[in-house]
Every structure is written in structure tokens, then in C-alpha cells.
Amino acid sequence: MTKKLLLAAAIAGCFAATAASAADVTLYGVADVGLRASRTEVDGVKTNKLEMMSGQNAGSRFGFKGAEDINGMKVGFQLEAQYMVDTGAFKNSLLFHRQATVYAQGQYGTLTFGRIGSFSSAAGTYDLFFGTGDSFDGGDGNVVGVFSYESRRDNMVTYASPDFAGFKVYAQYSFAQGTENAQSGLNQRYMGLAATYNQGPLNVALTAETVHYANANDAQDRQIDDKVVVGLAGNYNFGPVTVYAGAQYLKDGDNLANDWVSTSKFVTVDGYAAQIGAIAPALGGKFVVAAGYADGEANNLDGKLYDLTGYFGSVRYLYSFSKRTTVYASVGYQQLERDAAAGQTLSAAAEEKLYQAAVGITHKF
């Protein structure tokens, strides 16, 4: 950790020295911290917690970004780290866990290279599905919602087209998650295609993504199929109230409704999820609400293991003292039910419930 802090300080010093001659290099960030009370019930066994948490409303982060114009082409970068206000630690072992990219933007579109969020990761520049169809843009604390998530991806190249009367198209490809193998077929590879339409109060996103799993074949030389997830999301601004909605179809995925399965053990999940939400002004601030439902089944290479059903609902109130500082309070609920298939025994809980209440403050810098 000491090495990371020294590296971060060195980078900050470099950029501070550069800022005098390059005004378009920016240091930015978010500090978010608060208290969260929760109760989990796993097959009737209750656990209560009261804890200080970082990043409940917005991930605590700091980053550097900048760009320059080269003969009409904009070339820039973004490096973004995530940290925990309550402990001062980094989110994980990667310094620039949230994003590390270089891009070139011209009349034919934008090419971005590096580590970046995929279309259904609820993170980064190309947060299309959650950013368009989820009023919380990725859940409310541990109440994560019913949708299947993708992840930030390493070794990613992304193309975004110019705007054509409100329409844009996108393509992403990740060569590998983590260090690339000598043989590309052994890498976990990701590919995504998307289209958006943004015109006036209406915003729509259609995403299609696939992951080639890099796990080994089983004893019978069988391999699980590639993950496929298709999402349709939208929001409409009716004036004071913006309504959000999204739907997702998932085949051979690794998570749904906060049920995470193990593809390394040849278990995947199929299903669908739908969610609706809204953001509305009230009491001098704004309310964010959402509710969703998911239905699916977990399978291995021999057939169905169990059916799963997920529900969630959450309400958050935010009051802004300024453009930089906001206080918030939220309550949420999530439930996951598993029903073993005929002849199968559950290896996980049959029912999980989560009740959550949180308060906190978000400051942007």
C-alpha cells in the first residue's frame, strides 16, 4: 500500500507541475461517506449491522484527465482511482481501478484504449445500459437491483460513432481480462455492440454483449457456452419527473438478481430482468425510486440446478447545499429465492433477504 501511495503522490506531483503549462489537465474527485444499518436474513438466520461506509451514493474516487488538439483531432487521457473514505485504503489492488484510458476523437468518431467499463457495467464513459435505464445507475449500496452486471474490462478498445440526428453506434472488444495469454483463445474475451438515440426528453439504449469464458474443459471435454446478454433501456423527461425503465435477457451468465454463480465450476444462469424507476423533485431536493423483478435458472453442463426469483425496491432522498455538496438518506430491500430442481440439492441458501437504511454526504472536488 505504501508503494501505491508514493506512486499516487508522484503522479499528482507530475500533474501539478504540468498544470501551469497545460490548463486542460484536470484533477477531480468525489468523497462520499456515511452510515449504513442493515439486516440480512439467510434461511431465517438474522444478522444486524451498523457500519460506516464509503461510496454509498457515489463511488469515492480521484482522477486526472486532459486533452490536446492536434490538427483538428482531440487526443486525451483519463486515469481514475477508487478509495475508501472510512479507511483511506484503495478499493482494490489496482491503482487506477475505475478507468485508465487514452482516446482519439475526430470527425469519424472516438477510439478509446485501456481499462474501461463495458456497456452494462454501470461505470465509466460508456455506461449505456444502467446510465440510461436505471434511476440509481447501478443500485443503492448493497441493494444492487435485479439486472445482470458486466465488469470493467482490461485491454479494451471502444469505438463510438459521431452523432447522426440523435443516433450513435458503439463497439467494444476486450482482448483479455488481466494479463493476456500467449494463445488468445485461452483469454476471457468480451465483445459488445450498442446503439443509442438521444433527442429532446427521450433517451434510449440497446446493448448486446458476449463473453468467451476462458475456463478449462470438464472431464468429458465439454465447455460452457459463451455468455450473451441483451438489454433495452430508456428514460423520458416529463418535466419535473424523469421516468426510467429497462429490460434484460441473459443466457449463460455469471450473475442475475445478485445471485453470483461460478463459471469456473461450469455453472451459469439464464433468465430475464425488468425494472422501473423515477427521479422527482420534492422537499427542496429530489427523490430517486426504483423497483425490479428477475426470473431465471442456474444450470451446469448436465442440466438445471435450481430456479431463482429476485425482487428489489429502493428509495433515496438527496438534498444539495451546493453544486459540490449533497446529503442523502435511503432505504432499500432485496430478496432472492432459490428452488432446487427435481433430484437436486441446493448448495446455497433457499432464501436471502436484505433490509438496508443509509445516510451520508457526498462532496465533489
Side-chain angles (χ1 to χ4, degrees):
M1 184 59 67
T2 301
K3 291 181 179 179
K4 291 183 190 173
L5 293 175
L6 290 174
L7 178 58
I11 294 172
C14 291
F15 278 96
T18 306
S21 59
D24 57 352
V25 175
T26 303
L27 168 65
Y28 67 93
V30 175
D32 180 296
V33 70
L35 297 177
R36 182 165 71 204
S38 63
R39 168 179 283 187
T40 57
E41 296 183 9
V42 180
D43 285 343
V45 178
K46 300 176 182 178
T47 303
N48 297 315
K49 275 188 177 182
L50 176 61
E51 51 193 333
M52 180 178 289
M53 297 297 298
S54 176
Q56 298 180 114
N57 178 51
S60 299
R61 73 199 75 168
F62 67 88
F64 309 96
K65 59 184 177 180
E68 67 170 335
D69 186 274
I70 303 176
N71 298 323
M73 176 175 288
K74 183 179 180 181
V75 178
F77 74 97
Q78 184 171 357
L79 303 172
E80 189 171 285
Q82 187 162 354
Y83 66 98
M84 312 302 288
V85 175
D86 53 327
T87 65
F90 281 94
K91 175 74 172 181
N92 67 15
S93 61
L94 298 177
L95 176 58
F96 295 115
H97 156 72
R98 291 183 62 92
Q99 187 161 326
T101 53
V102 173
Y103 68 88
Q105 184 179 58
Q107 61 177 324
Y108 299 110
T110 303
L111 274 175
T112 305
F113 302 88
R115 174 177 169 81
I116 193 168
S118 55
F119 297 141
S120 61
S121 65
T125 304
Y126 299 104
D127 173 19
L128 300 183
F129 179 75
F130 285 92
T132 304
D134 179 8
S135 54
F136 282 94
D137 194 8
D140 180 17
N142 280 347
V143 179
V144 299
V146 293
F147 289 130
S148 177
Y149 283 77
E150 245 306 304
S151 62
R152 294 175 174 89
R153 290 280 165 177
D154 304 331
N155 303 293
M156 178 90 89
V157 57
T158 301
Y159 170 75
S161 78
D163 187 294
F164 299 103
F167 287 96
K168 293 184 73 173
V169 295
Y170 304 80
Q172 289 188 319
Y173 184 80
S174 169
F175 291 87
Q177 191 72 336
T179 304
E180 296 182 55
N181 289 290
Q183 183 179 341
S184 62
L186 298 177
N187 296 322
Q188 186 183 102
R189 291 163 288 162
Y190 163 90
M191 183 176 70
L193 297 172
T196 59
Y197 176 75
N198 303 286
Q199 197 69 265
L202 176 65
N203 301 282
V204 179
L206 176 64
T207 59
E209 300 164 279
T210 183
V211 176
H212 170 79
Y213 296 120
N215 59 316
N217 294 351
D218 76 341
Q220 300 175 30
D221 200 30
R222 297 179 297 177
Q223 178 88 9
I224 60 175
D225 293 332
D226 295 348
K227 172 182 177 178
V228 175
V229 57
V230 178
L232 177 63
N235 66 72
Y236 191 91
N237 187 344
F238 287 94
V241 178
T242 303
V243 175
Y244 294 77
Q248 216 178 41
Y249 166 78
L250 176 69
K251 178 69 174 173
D252 295 308
D254 54 358
N255 68 90
L256 181 67
N258 206 30
D259 183 31
W260 294 80
V261 299
S262 176
T263 57
S264 63
K265 296 181 180 178
F266 304 98
V267 178
T268 59
V269 60
D270 303 337
Y272 68 90
Q275 182 173 309
I276 190 167
I279 299 178
L283 304 176
K286 63 181 180 181
F287 278 96
V288 184
V289 299
Y293 172 81
D295 185 271
E297 60 180 45
N299 308 278
N300 62 15
L301 296 179
D302 296 312
K304 184 166 70 172
L305 300 175
Y306 59 86
D307 292 305
L308 67 95
T309 308
Y311 312 86
F312 110 100
S314 199
V315 179
R316 181 188 294 169
Y317 174 73
L318 303 103
Y319 182 86
S320 296
F321 290 100
S322 67
K323 291 183 178 180
R324 293 176 177 265
T325 303
T326 299
V327 293
Y328 59 88
S330 68
V331 292
Y333 173 77
Q334 183 135 4
Q335 180 175 331
L336 178 65
E337 298 176 354
R338 301 180 181 91
D339 183 16
Q344 298 289 341
T345 301
L346 283 176
S347 59
E351 183 177 70
E352 298 179 19
K353 296 180 180 180
L354 170 65
Y355 305 84
Q356 174 185 282
V359 295
I361 184 169
T362 305
H363 179 74
K364 299 178 180 179
F365 58 88

